[in-house]
Amino acid sequence: MPVRAIGAGPGGGRPLIITEDPLLLDDLLRLCAAAGAEPHVQHAVPEQSGGGGDRGGGGDGSVRGGPGPRGAVGWESAPLVLVGDDAARRVSGAPRRDGVFLVGRDLDDPHVWQRAVEIGAEEVLRLPDAESLLVDRIADVVEGAGRPALAVGVIGGSGGAGASTLACALALRAARAGERTILIDGDPLGGGMDVLLGGETAEGLRWPDFAASRGRVGAGALEESLPELHALRVLSWDRGDRVVVPPAAMRSVVAAARRRGGVVVVDLPRRVDEAVAEVLAQLDLVLLVVPGELRSVAAAGRVAAGVRMVARDVRVVVRGRCREGLDAEAVARLLGAPLAGEVPVEVGLPGRVAEGEPPGARGPLARFCDGFWQRVLGSAQGVPA
């Protein structure tokens, strides 16, 4: 059942801006500041050795918004190059490379695409229309965007299916396997994943703190702001009255969590509204947890229909022993989805959780989660108990 191998390490870098247009430069410096980047600025292609002087262009080679010549970045070493439309001819002889963007403010220039081809630009970005896109591009450089996290959602097919317990256990086992892990509580009426992990008093932000989020949320800032419980980060609900987070905030926060790499596990409510749809659209895989009885399977069919409208990959997890002549494969067939596995019911688990042991710390549930991650991540490495 492989999905894909994952892995991303933090990186980062400083973009190179090449322009002599003071108005455009002010715009680009403003957008870099919004993305948390401190750029190097040149008037033409800098020396590849990192020197600050221009090569074949006018200007004094000074650097605005960055260090002096000794710290200036070269054309080939910069992670991102923003070439002002005024400077396109001055850089046309530079070596071809990825990550070059031609930026201008004249929306009616018919020759801009020709200049973009001459410098090997990936895109033409015209301000102010492309400001949001450009901030995202710059922020990717700052955050060292690599392979996004593998995002797995868990949703109950019926009431009491044990979806929250499974989500918590999956996140715990991923963290113990050495994956950078974020557990997101997407169910405002579920009682709180931090409570399930024994961390309801832990310091850190909860969902209401992100309710006003719009646009891009910094991945690193998100991770550092969340409570850390059992070697994983948890975004849960507080004990207040807010039970609604706008869809735009849901989208921004989940996207930030994915950009950090590793694993993201989301506990989902059974009702698919606009906010939940925003989350489902970003998930690689959704696990539908279904007790092995006909009434639960019937309820799960209605949940699955809503989830399939948005999610790209839905698989069934059968919980407990099947009844009424069913088996796990039959449950999956009835729901029209592949079987991801069977989770046994652990009689002593609720008592252990009440005593402070997180779900998945040991026992059959832990073994199921370890096997799941080994199949999905393509890893044969065991996980410590």
Side-chain angles (χ1 to χ4, degrees), residues 132-280:
S132 178
L133 174 61
L134 187 51
V135 169
D136 282 349
R137 297 284 190 179
I138 298 168
D140 282 342
V141 170
V142 175
E143 294 178 356
R147 189 188 299 274
L150 175 65
V152 176
V154 185
I155 188 167
S158 63
S164 296
T165 299
L166 178 57
C168 185
L170 284 170
L172 180 71
R173 302 311 295 182
R176 290 193 176 183
E179 297 286 349
R180 170 185 276 120
T181 305
I182 296 181
L183 173 61
I184 297 178
D185 186 353
D187 186 358
L189 303 179
M193 297 298 281
D194 54 350
V195 176
L196 196 56
L197 287 165
E200 60 269 28
T201 61
E203 294 185 1
L205 300 184
R206 267 67 173 182
W207 263 121
D209 299 303
F210 296 96
S213 299
R214 297 293 186 273
R216 188 183 182 100
V217 174
L222 171 69
E223 183 182 41
E224 293 171 3
S225 72
L226 300 179
E228 184 174 5
L229 306 171
H230 304 282
L232 59 96
R233 298 285 180 166
V234 182
L235 175 54
S236 188
W237 300 83
D238 62 7
R239 315 283 82 84
D241 296 331
R242 177 182 282 275
V243 295
V244 176
V245 169
M250 278 280 190
R251 179 175 61 251
S252 296
V253 170
V254 174
R258 292 204 66 200
R259 287 197 304 274
R260 197 61 175 163
V263 166
V264 173
V265 179
V266 186
D267 180 41
L268 296 164
R270 292 170 57 208
R271 182 172 180 268
V272 180
D273 56 17
E274 188 177 353
V276 173
E278 290 287 358
V279 178
L280 288 171

Side-chain angles (χ1 to χ4, degrees), residues 43-59:
H43 295 159
V45 178
E47 295 293 336
Q48 293 185 26
S49 64
D54 288 349
R55 184 175 66 181

